[in-house]
């Protein structure tokens, strides 16, 4: 594994020796614009593992994306190699059906200290909940970014990531009532503590998330990539292009269903993903929105 290959993968041409905030923001944004958040391996008869070299080969050398236990694990390694003071943290994702956070930590994130100030980085949540740049770890501060206004709230025993977004405007009438359309303007995304974690802490959850029949990831095949104006997503057979229009207070959603025959082409042309094995798309009922 080497940094040069990773930098080439995300298109970073800056100074490798600068462990400052500007560099952190740049590589964070380049990562999410270059590397998809996706769980396609488990729908191709493959397995996701918490092994850094396997992840590096998959994402950097094979041009794939990954989910948080891959992307954020890789990103943490990159930051440490660059000289950033980086700590792995675990978070519990909010479940709107039960109106509470998941009981177990299953989402890996990174905390970085720069000039004595802590920042939270996450390059792998996907769709409209994806932060574009690291967030300052300051309670209650509105931090506007492309997707909307993010804020971190210190509730004493946990920190909570919240987001206030915009009204969805669906171009296609047949998708106006789609369950994929997020109509909640302000929402909780996940909670976390500042207790350091090791990647090995997630091995059990990593296995459960791709085998448990109640897991979101076994019920939906997901591929999402951020763009300079929004994001693209392929959920099951539904392909969406979302354009953020903050000046109008809306997010414009252009959605269509694609066929099995179009699947490989859409993945290749829209996400730059080429699969080695045949994808079996899945879009069963589960709580998930764009």
């Amino acid at each position: 594994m080497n940094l040069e290959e990773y930098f080439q993968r995300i298109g970073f041409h800056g100074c490798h020796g600068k462990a400052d905030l500007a560099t952190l923001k740049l590589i964070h944004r380049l990562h999410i614009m270059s590397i998809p958040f996706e769980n396609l391996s488990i729908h191709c008869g493959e397995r996701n593992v918490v092994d850094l070299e396997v992840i590096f080969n998959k994402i950097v050398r094979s041009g794939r994306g990954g989910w948080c236990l891959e992307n954020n694990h890789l990103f943490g390694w990159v930051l440490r190699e660059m000289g950033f003071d980086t700590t792995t943290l675990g978070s519990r994702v909010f479940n709107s059906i039960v109106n509470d956070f998941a009981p177990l930590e299953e989402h890996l994130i990174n905390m970085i200290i720069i000039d004595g100030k802590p920042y939270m980085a996450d390059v792998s949540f996907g769709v409209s909940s994806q932060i574009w740049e690291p967030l300052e770890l300051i309670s209650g501060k509105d931090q506007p970014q492309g997707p909307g206004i993010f804020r971190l709230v210190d509730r004493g025993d946990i920190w909570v990531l919240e987001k206030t977004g915009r009204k969805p405007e669906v171009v296609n009438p047949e998708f106006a009532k789609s369950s994929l359309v997020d109509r909640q303007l302000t929402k909780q995304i996940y909670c976390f503590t500042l207790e350091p974690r090791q990647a090995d802490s997630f091995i059990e959850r990593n296995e459960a998330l791709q085998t448990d029949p109640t897991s979101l990831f076994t019920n939906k095949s997901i591929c999402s990539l951020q763009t300079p104006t929004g994001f693209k997503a392929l959920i099951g057979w539904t392909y969406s292009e979302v354009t953020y229009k903050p000046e109008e207070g809306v997010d414009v959603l252009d959605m269509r269903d694609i066929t099995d025959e179009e699947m490989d082409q859409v993945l290749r042309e829209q996400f730059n993903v080429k699969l080695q094995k045949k994808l079996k798309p899945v879009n069963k009922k589960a709580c998930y929105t764009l």
Side-chain angles (χ1 to χ4, degrees), residues 40-105:
L40 303 182
S41 288
I42 65 176
H43 299 289
C44 294
E46 300 171 346
R47 275 282 172 266
N48 293 332
V49 297
V50 187
D51 181 307
L52 194 54
E53 288 198 16
V54 173
I55 294 168
F56 187 94
N57 284 328
K58 175 184 175 181
I59 292 177
V60 177
R61 293 180 176 144
S62 300
R64 286 286 303 279
W67 60 8
C68 75
L69 299 175
E70 298 171 296
N71 268 314
N72 280 326
H73 189 12
L74 173 65
F75 195 64
W77 172 81
V78 168
L79 295 179
R80 292 181 182 93
E81 288 292 300
M82 293 182 70
F84 285 97
D85 179 354
T86 306
T87 303
T88 299
L89 303 178
S91 65
R92 298 184 287 127
V93 177
F94 189 76
N95 183 327
S96 59
I97 293 178
V98 298
N99 197 37
D100 199 0
F101 298 100
L104 299 172
E105 292 180 351

Side-chain angles (χ1 to χ4, degrees), residues 103-126:
L104 299 172
E105 292 180 351
E106 54 192 24
H107 182 65
L108 187 157
I109 57 178
N110 289 290
M111 180 174 69
I112 303 96
I113 308 294
I114 299 176
D115 296 331
K117 294 182 179 180
Y119 297 85
M120 190 272 287
D122 182 354
V123 295
S124 197
F125 202 88

Side-chain angles (χ1 to χ4, degrees), residues 164-181:
T164 299
R166 295 173 286 268
K167 181 181 176 182
E169 186 177 283
V170 184
V171 173
N172 326 82
E174 65 270 30
F175 286 95
K177 296 183 179 180
S178 170
S179 62
L180 287 172
V181 178

